[in-house]
Amino acid sequence: MNKFNSLIVTILIVATGIAVAEAADRRYPLAYVQKIEITEPSRRTAWEDKDFLDCDDVVLTEEDVRYALLHMRRVSWSAYAPENTDTTGCKGSVLVTFKNGRILAMGIEPTGRITTAEYDTGMKVTASPAGFYECDPCRERKMKLLKDALYRADERRLKKLEAEGKIPPGEAERRLKTLRASR
């Protein structure tokens, strides 16, 4: 029975570790948000790939910010780096003011990648280092909302391939129907 108890304890420890890893950052509780100001609803970065998603189709909303605050989890720079992960090259910017006066500047991508910087009430950078976050639930939610934008990007990409002769004539339409059905 002793081996069984130690197995149960081990399983509980691992489950607790996984739950903590998936938990939102407690430094930014949604209950203490005083104001959300979207400074740039959508902008392009050097990583924009219009064959995947046109940044004009992506607009950051207050609801997106609240959802991100609930679900984002901190990651290392190496896990966040655009060279190592998927990025659309689109990002919205927001300032979140908390009741204690702290201001959180956030850059949120539709893929759920988030950067943060903390400021005091005078907009001076605090001692906290820049933060890098991922939000898988945000990505899933936003990508569901962007189905039409993704379809338009697929259409641009496939029509370009067809025009260049890389796929046979009429193949673009067939692939578009297949992609739309799979989403």
Side-chain angles (χ1 to χ4, degrees):
M1 198 66 166
N2 203 8
K3 286 183 181 181
F4 181 74
N5 287 341
S6 63
L7 178 64
I8 296 295
V9 169
T10 304
I11 290 171
L12 288 173
I13 290 171
V14 170
T16 303
I18 291 170
V20 169
E22 294 298 320
D25 193 325
R26 293 183 202 164
R27 294 180 300 162
Y28 311 120
L30 191 56
Y32 292 109
V33 171
Q34 183 177 15
K35 179 174 114 179
I36 295 175
E37 177 187 352
I38 297 177
T39 55
E40 285 187 278
S42 180
R43 70 179 163 99
R44 293 162 175 76
T45 69
W47 296 94
E48 181 188 27
D49 179 4
K50 285 190 178 187
D51 287 339
F52 177 66
L53 186 65
D54 188 340
C55 292
D56 292 336
D57 293 329
V58 183
V59 177
L60 182 66
T61 66
E62 188 174 319
E63 184 180 343
D64 295 331
V65 176
R66 291 182 183 283
Y67 197 80
L69 288 169
L70 283 174
H71 298 284
M72 66 187 197
R73 63 179 179 81
R74 195 171 191 111
V75 295
S76 66
W77 164 250
S78 60
Y80 178 86
E83 300 89 10
N84 302 332
T85 58
D86 291 332
T87 181
T88 61
C90 304
K91 183 183 279 191
S93 300
V94 63
L95 294 174
V96 179
T97 305
F98 292 90
K99 292 177 183 174
N100 64 2
R102 183 174 45 180
I103 298 169
L104 180 67
M106 299 173 72
I108 302 176
E109 294 184 28
T111 55
R113 294 162 33 89
I114 301 168
T115 56
T116 64
E118 289 185 26
Y119 297 90
D120 63 16
T121 54
M123 287 304 287
K124 299 218 186 275
V125 178
T126 64
S128 297
F132 305 102
Y133 293 85
E134 284 186 0
C135 179
D136 287 335
C138 299
R139 177 184 46 78
E140 291 171 13
R141 178 180 167 275
K142 196 66 171 178
M143 290 303 172
K144 283 179 187 174
L145 295 172
L146 292 172
K147 276 187 182 181
D148 287 334
L150 293 170
Y151 179 74
R152 288 190 300 274
D154 289 337
E155 185 175 25
R156 282 191 301 273
R157 180 178 51 80
L158 289 170
K159 296 283 183 179
K160 180 180 172 186
L161 290 173
E162 194 173 73
E164 293 172 351
K166 293 183 180 176
I167 59 174
E171 182 68 13
E173 279 302 316
R174 188 189 68 73
R175 289 185 185 181
L176 282 171
K177 287 178 183 174
T178 304
L179 283 169
R180 183 160 256 188
S182 70
R183 287 192 183 128

